[in-house]
Amino acid sequence: MEPALCFSDPKEMLSILTELEEQNLSFVQNFHETEEAMDVIRKTAQHSQDKMNQEIQHLRQQIEIMQATIQREQENVLVLQLKSKIFSYGEYRADKQDNMLKLLNKKVKIREEKVRLKKQHQEERLKLALEPLQTAKKDGKETHATLRTT
């Protein structure tokens, strides 16, 4: 018994194989195009994520600055309320005014000390930053003097 042939004409088989090969190539090409599109989408999403992270960081810094400003303003409000109470009720008693002046002087001294420490810290940082430059400048002068004497 001889097996039955599905194809009666060899050209028919060749035609089907050619068609399958074209379909396969079309699928591969579509896959590559889809993969390239996905790469573009991934890069765009990553860029957007990075940009949002930067914006979030910037906003957090602004929040911190605003909170510090609010704190300072609240302190000023308390001082102004105290001043207002003392002076608006017609109470011009010397002891209350002296207490207010002592409080204000204390705050001024604290603020002056903070400014002095900040200035000192900045001067130290500047000195540390300039040391390598001064060393390099000194080394350059010594090298220049050595070259002149030879």
Side-chain angles (χ1 to χ4, degrees), residues 2-7:
E2 204 171 294
L5 293 176
C6 296
F7 304 104

Side-chain angles (χ1 to χ4, degrees), residues 52-63 65:
M52 285 191 312
N53 288 341
Q54 288 175 348
E55 184 66 21
I56 287 170
Q57 184 64 27
H58 178 70
L59 290 172
R60 284 184 178 152
Q61 290 172 346
Q62 285 183 334
I63 288 171
I65 291 169

